[in-house]
Amino acid sequence: MFRAFRNEVEAALADALSAMDLPTDDLGVEEPPEDVPATLASNVAFRLASEVGAPPPKIAADIAGEISVDGYDYLDHVDTGGPYVNFHTTEQYLADTLAAAGDDEYGRLPDKDESVVVEHTSANPTGPVHVGRARNPILGDAVANVIDFAGYDVERHYYVNDAGRQMAVFTWAYETFDEADLDSEPERDRIEYDLVRYYRKGNRVLEEGDPEEVEAAEAEISEILQGIEEGDEETYARVETVVDQVLSGMKECLGRLPAEFDEFVKETRFMFDGSTQEVASRLKDSDYAVLEEEAWQLELDEWDIEKKLVFLRSDGTSLYTTRDLAHHEWKFENFDRAVTVLGEDHKLQAEQLKAALEILGNDVGQLDHAIYSYVNLPEGKMSTRAGTGVDLDDLLDEAVDRARDEVESRLDSRIRDDELDEDDIERIAHQVGIGAVRYDIVSKQPTKAITFEWDQALDFEAQSAPYVQYVHARCCGILDEASQAGVEPTDVDPAVLSTEAEEDLLRTIARFPAVVETAAEDLEPHTVATYTREFAEAFNTFYRECSVLNADDEETQRARLALVDASRHTIANALSILGVEAPDSM
RNA sequence: GGGCACGUAGCUCAGUCUGGAUAGAGCGUCGGACUUCUAAUCCGACGGCCGUGGGUUCAAAUCCCAUCGUGCUCGCCA
């Protein structure tokens, strides 16, 4: 309802301003501070002061007097607070909010009939997913969720880099070394932990091995790369043996979050179908192409990019970005929009990609990047190759373990007699543990760097997943008790919800669809996390002050129950956008 | 060195794009609230030259310039 109210406010204000012969280009509509009893306000009077030649409070009063609320459903009346014009809602606003939030899909915006492909994670299949990379699936999944919830048709893609040098190195190492050559046991009983040892061994040999050995290896690696480039089936099969095995393990790990994908798109696909070479030849014909030292490159000065983009090596083979160009043209053919979630280390490459796509004649307005900063350890960077870093599996295990300890230690002091059994404890431990990890990462602005610290990531109090999840569990508890007592959230008179706590909660619920809309537009799911905290605060105040089952009369009982039902839908949907589970009890 | 980010309470962060009402949370510290729909909760206190210096503006945490600090980046790697 907030969105509808905002539209009404803008329309009413614009009408009044034009009736007064004043400009309507900047309405200055904003949410007032908490202690102001208005839902929206306008600061337009400040800007008109010099033009009109009157002090802002006078102008505000004049505007307020000029505004007509006739014909609006939610705009009740207008007054001023000094220089501000304040807009107040009708009873209908709260009534309609309560009714709308009775739907368990509340917050989902109308279908836009527009398809969006969200590419995220796309980590090279070189080994276990570490925490440094984990920001990508967690952020990416939330970005996809919020766009989905905002009414778009979303597909989630993982782009598999199976044609790069790293995979050639991996393939060579996998075929060259035996178990006996490796100096460690797998850290975990899963395929990518087993195989990454070959990759690390291979890289060590390339860095430190004797020159003859390295030379032979490089020859082999280059042969593999050439083989793929030429579409040689046998080479492809050798590489995919490694790729598919490692990837299958990584999928399992990501599945624990869970981050699921609709499609794993391999880059070799765009080599074998000829589109990469086709893109390269179109680029060669462009005005921006230059041949320097036998390598084809693009001059991107026009895009303020100093670095030239090499799109064909001197031996004629393609590079990662060349294939990615073909990949993106494929996306543009099949989807209305493409969103890619990338680490900041790929930012320059992403800008070059965009420029090159423009040169190729694409509408780059279809492409958006969500860029995030890396997650580092206090002691430095995480690297699969070097084997430094915390594995995501270990983080999730630790999170679930700590959550389980927490649940068990709280068992004795539980008031609620719902008799949690072993399965419940395990369920709650998973929901809370994994939820806490996701929430910790998704709730922060993506541009800010994160230094990973165990205690901080696994703090179960305060501004964390459990704090918000607890609200959901409380809702479920009340709804459960109510249903046993035979109270139904039907035949409700919203006007009964007249205390400040009830009204605040309802107003917070009303804002949810607007939060979804903005988060989707800006690709910033962390604003949904901020909202869940504000929501939890409003709900907890209501919980403290307004008993549902012990309310004075049945009418109040029913109305409050409807409010709890609406709250549950709101917080469940907000959490689901964040990829955090909503426990029925905890 | 060039480019791009980031710098807000002791700590972790919202707010910055789109300037506007006394800068908000949590953790920690201190003090309160469970015979009550779940205390993973709530209430209160303490805590801020919004990195620094200039500028624009009626108004700056927010925009511009400079500067310092941190991160990323500047391969015929991905």
Side-chain angles (χ1 to χ4, degrees), chain A residues 548-564:
Chain A
V548 177
L549 299 168
N550 302 317
D552 295 340
D553 54 83
E554 287 183 15
E555 199 179 22
T556 307
Q557 262 189 8
R558 289 200 306 276
R560 284 181 179 169
L561 190 61
L563 184 53
V564 171

PDB file of all heavy atoms in Angstrom, chain A residues 548-564:
ATOM      1  N   VAL A 548      -2.162 -11.412  22.092  1.00  0.00           N
ATOM      2  CA  VAL A 548      -3.185 -11.809  21.120  1.00  0.00           C
ATOM      3  C   VAL A 548      -4.232 -12.680  21.799  1.00  0.00           C
ATOM      4  O   VAL A 548      -5.416 -12.366  21.801  1.00  0.00           O
ATOM      5  CB  VAL A 548      -2.552 -12.585  19.958  1.00  0.00           C
ATOM      6  CG1 VAL A 548      -3.626 -13.063  18.986  1.00  0.00           C
ATOM      7  CG2 VAL A 548      -1.519 -11.725  19.250  1.00  0.00           C
ATOM      8  N   LEU A 549      -3.759 -13.772  22.406  1.00  0.00           N
ATOM      9  CA  LEU A 549      -4.703 -14.746  22.957  1.00  0.00           C
ATOM     10  C   LEU A 549      -5.351 -14.256  24.243  1.00  0.00           C
ATOM     11  O   LEU A 549      -6.446 -14.688  24.605  1.00  0.00           O
ATOM     12  CB  LEU A 549      -3.977 -16.073  23.193  1.00  0.00           C
ATOM     13  CG  LEU A 549      -3.415 -16.646  21.889  1.00  0.00           C
ATOM     14  CD1 LEU A 549      -2.459 -17.782  22.163  1.00  0.00           C
ATOM     15  CD2 LEU A 549      -4.552 -17.114  20.992  1.00  0.00           C
ATOM     16  N   ASN A 550      -4.657 -13.340  24.939  1.00  0.00           N
ATOM     17  CA  ASN A 550      -5.231 -12.822  26.180  1.00  0.00           C
ATOM     18  C   ASN A 550      -5.815 -11.429  25.983  1.00  0.00           C
ATOM     19  O   ASN A 550      -5.923 -10.647  26.922  1.00  0.00           O
ATOM     20  CB  ASN A 550      -4.161 -12.780  27.269  1.00  0.00           C
ATOM     21  CG  ASN A 550      -3.571 -14.158  27.504  1.00  0.00           C
ATOM     22  OD1 ASN A 550      -4.296 -15.150  27.554  1.00  0.00           O
ATOM     23  ND2 ASN A 550      -2.263 -14.227  27.622  1.00  0.00           N
ATOM     24  N   ALA A 551      -6.155 -11.112  24.754  1.00  0.00           N
ATOM     25  CA  ALA A 551      -6.728  -9.790  24.486  1.00  0.00           C
ATOM     26  C   ALA A 551      -8.078  -9.660  25.181  1.00  0.00           C
ATOM     27  O   ALA A 551      -8.721 -10.654  25.516  1.00  0.00           O
ATOM     28  CB  ALA A 551      -6.889  -9.590  22.981  1.00  0.00           C
ATOM     29  N   ASP A 552      -8.484  -8.413  25.373  1.00  0.00           N
ATOM     30  CA  ASP A 552      -9.684  -8.131  26.168  1.00  0.00           C
ATOM     31  C   ASP A 552     -10.961  -8.746  25.588  1.00  0.00           C
ATOM     32  O   ASP A 552     -11.834  -9.182  26.315  1.00  0.00           O
ATOM     33  CB  ASP A 552      -9.881  -6.619  26.299  1.00  0.00           C
ATOM     34  CG  ASP A 552      -8.738  -6.006  27.092  1.00  0.00           C
ATOM     35  OD1 ASP A 552      -8.068  -6.772  27.813  1.00  0.00           O
ATOM     36  OD2 ASP A 552      -8.503  -4.794  26.960  1.00  0.00           O
ATOM     37  N   ASP A 553     -11.074  -8.722  24.281  1.00  0.00           N
ATOM     38  CA  ASP A 553     -12.310  -9.222  23.681  1.00  0.00           C
ATOM     39  C   ASP A 553     -11.996 -10.029  22.426  1.00  0.00           C
ATOM     40  O   ASP A 553     -10.889  -9.969  21.897  1.00  0.00           O
ATOM     41  CB  ASP A 553     -13.225  -8.049  23.319  1.00  0.00           C
ATOM     42  CG  ASP A 553     -12.501  -7.053  22.450  1.00  0.00           C
ATOM     43  OD1 ASP A 553     -12.442  -7.259  21.223  1.00  0.00           O
ATOM     44  OD2 ASP A 553     -11.920  -6.077  23.003  1.00  0.00           O
ATOM     45  N   GLU A 554     -12.958 -10.764  21.956  1.00  0.00           N
ATOM     46  CA  GLU A 554     -12.729 -11.653  20.817  1.00  0.00           C
ATOM     47  C   GLU A 554     -12.439 -10.891  19.528  1.00  0.00           C
ATOM     48  O   GLU A 554     -11.685 -11.360  18.679  1.00  0.00           O
ATOM     49  CB  GLU A 554     -13.955 -12.558  20.619  1.00  0.00           C
ATOM     50  CG  GLU A 554     -14.036 -13.624  21.691  1.00  0.00           C
ATOM     51  CD  GLU A 554     -15.202 -14.568  21.470  1.00  0.00           C
ATOM     52  OE1 GLU A 554     -15.760 -14.564  20.359  1.00  0.00           O
ATOM     53  OE2 GLU A 554     -15.560 -15.297  22.424  1.00  0.00           O
ATOM     54  N   GLU A 555     -13.025  -9.749  19.396  1.00  0.00           N
ATOM     55  CA  GLU A 555     -12.803  -8.953  18.199  1.00  0.00           C
ATOM     56  C   GLU A 555     -11.332  -8.544  18.096  1.00  0.00           C
ATOM     57  O   GLU A 555     -10.706  -8.633  17.037  1.00  0.00           O
ATOM     58  CB  GLU A 555     -13.701  -7.719  18.236  1.00  0.00           C
ATOM     59  CG  GLU A 555     -13.882  -7.110  16.865  1.00  0.00           C
ATOM     60  CD  GLU A 555     -14.804  -5.903  16.905  1.00  0.00           C
ATOM     61  OE1 GLU A 555     -14.952  -5.300  17.993  1.00  0.00           O
ATOM     62  OE2 GLU A 555     -15.368  -5.584  15.852  1.00  0.00           O
ATOM     63  N   THR A 556     -10.785  -8.104  19.230  1.00  0.00           N
ATOM     64  CA  THR A 556      -9.376  -7.728  19.272  1.00  0.00           C
ATOM     65  C   THR A 556      -8.501  -8.961  19.025  1.00  0.00           C
ATOM     66  O   THR A 556      -7.508  -8.903  18.300  1.00  0.00           O
ATOM     67  CB  THR A 556      -9.025  -7.115  20.638  1.00  0.00           C
ATOM     68  OG1 THR A 556      -9.941  -6.056  20.907  1.00  0.00           O
ATOM     69  CG2 THR A 556      -7.618  -6.577  20.646  1.00  0.00           C
ATOM     70  N   GLN A 557      -8.860 -10.063  19.619  1.00  0.00           N
ATOM     71  CA  GLN A 557      -8.141 -11.325  19.396  1.00  0.00           C
ATOM     72  C   GLN A 557      -8.017 -11.632  17.915  1.00  0.00           C
ATOM     73  O   GLN A 557      -6.934 -11.907  17.405  1.00  0.00           O
ATOM     74  CB  GLN A 557      -8.911 -12.477  20.051  1.00  0.00           C
ATOM     75  CG  GLN A 557      -8.407 -12.870  21.410  1.00  0.00           C
ATOM     76  CD  GLN A 557      -9.067 -14.150  21.902  1.00  0.00           C
ATOM     77  OE1 GLN A 557      -9.797 -14.823  21.172  1.00  0.00           O
ATOM     78  NE2 GLN A 557      -8.814 -14.482  23.154  1.00  0.00           N
ATOM     79  N   ARG A 558      -9.162 -11.579  17.241  1.00  0.00           N
ATOM     80  CA  ARG A 558      -9.168 -11.923  15.812  1.00  0.00           C
ATOM     81  C   ARG A 558      -8.335 -10.943  14.992  1.00  0.00           C
ATOM     82  O   ARG A 558      -7.574 -11.328  14.124  1.00  0.00           O
ATOM     83  CB  ARG A 558     -10.606 -11.965  15.287  1.00  0.00           C
ATOM     84  CG  ARG A 558     -11.421 -13.143  15.780  1.00  0.00           C
ATOM     85  CD  ARG A 558     -12.602 -13.384  14.857  1.00  0.00           C
ATOM     86  NE  ARG A 558     -13.402 -12.167  14.679  1.00  0.00           N
ATOM     87  CZ  ARG A 558     -14.363 -11.766  15.523  1.00  0.00           C
ATOM     88  NH1 ARG A 558     -14.642 -12.495  16.592  1.00  0.00           N
ATOM     89  NH2 ARG A 558     -15.034 -10.655  15.290  1.00  0.00           N
ATOM     90  N   ALA A 559      -8.500  -9.662  15.303  1.00  0.00           N
ATOM     91  CA  ALA A 559      -7.768  -8.644  14.541  1.00  0.00           C
ATOM     92  C   ALA A 559      -6.260  -8.791  14.761  1.00  0.00           C
ATOM     93  O   ALA A 559      -5.466  -8.730  13.815  1.00  0.00           O
ATOM     94  CB  ALA A 559      -8.233  -7.259  14.948  1.00  0.00           C
ATOM     95  N   ARG A 560      -5.885  -8.998  16.007  1.00  0.00           N
ATOM     96  CA  ARG A 560      -4.451  -9.149  16.289  1.00  0.00           C
ATOM     97  C   ARG A 560      -3.909 -10.430  15.661  1.00  0.00           C
ATOM     98  O   ARG A 560      -2.765 -10.467  15.191  1.00  0.00           O
ATOM     99  CB  ARG A 560      -4.209  -9.150  17.804  1.00  0.00           C
ATOM    100  CG  ARG A 560      -4.320  -7.764  18.383  1.00  0.00           C
ATOM    101  CD  ARG A 560      -4.056  -7.745  19.862  1.00  0.00           C
ATOM    102  NE  ARG A 560      -4.143  -6.378  20.369  1.00  0.00           N
ATOM    103  CZ  ARG A 560      -4.167  -6.059  21.655  1.00  0.00           C
ATOM    104  NH1 ARG A 560      -4.108  -7.011  22.576  1.00  0.00           N
ATOM    105  NH2 ARG A 560      -4.240  -4.795  22.039  1.00  0.00           N
ATOM    106  N   LEU A 561      -4.723 -11.437  15.643  1.00  0.00           N
ATOM    107  CA  LEU A 561      -4.292 -12.689  15.025  1.00  0.00           C
ATOM    108  C   LEU A 561      -4.054 -12.480  13.520  1.00  0.00           C
ATOM    109  O   LEU A 561      -3.082 -12.981  12.965  1.00  0.00           O
ATOM    110  CB  LEU A 561      -5.341 -13.784  15.255  1.00  0.00           C
ATOM    111  CG  LEU A 561      -4.891 -15.187  14.875  1.00  0.00           C
ATOM    112  CD1 LEU A 561      -3.676 -15.605  15.712  1.00  0.00           C
ATOM    113  CD2 LEU A 561      -6.024 -16.187  15.062  1.00  0.00           C
ATOM    114  N   ALA A 562      -4.938 -11.715  12.917  1.00  0.00           N
ATOM    115  CA  ALA A 562      -4.760 -11.400  11.496  1.00  0.00           C
ATOM    116  C   ALA A 562      -3.458 -10.622  11.297  1.00  0.00           C
ATOM    117  O   ALA A 562      -2.733 -10.826  10.306  1.00  0.00           O
ATOM    118  CB  ALA A 562      -5.943 -10.583  10.983  1.00  0.00           C
ATOM    119  N   LEU A 563      -3.145  -9.759  12.254  1.00  0.00           N
ATOM    120  CA  LEU A 563      -1.904  -8.986  12.174  1.00  0.00           C
ATOM    121  C   LEU A 563      -0.688  -9.907  12.310  1.00  0.00           C
ATOM    122  O   LEU A 563       0.328  -9.732  11.623  1.00  0.00           O
ATOM    123  CB  LEU A 563      -1.905  -7.917  13.274  1.00  0.00           C
ATOM    124  CG  LEU A 563      -0.739  -6.927  13.319  1.00  0.00           C
ATOM    125  CD1 LEU A 563      -0.542  -6.244  11.976  1.00  0.00           C
ATOM    126  CD2 LEU A 563      -0.967  -5.894  14.420  1.00  0.00           C
ATOM    127  N   VAL A 564      -0.782 -10.891  13.167  1.00  0.00           N
ATOM    128  CA  VAL A 564       0.307 -11.857  13.328  1.00  0.00           C
ATOM    129  C   VAL A 564       0.459 -12.687  12.049  1.00  0.00           C
ATOM    130  O   VAL A 564       1.574 -12.951  11.581  1.00  0.00           O
ATOM    131  CB  VAL A 564       0.050 -12.790  14.535  1.00  0.00           C
ATOM    132  CG1 VAL A 564       1.072 -13.923  14.573  1.00  0.00           C
ATOM    133  CG2 VAL A 564       0.097 -11.998  15.830  1.00  0.00           C
TER     134      VAL A 564
END
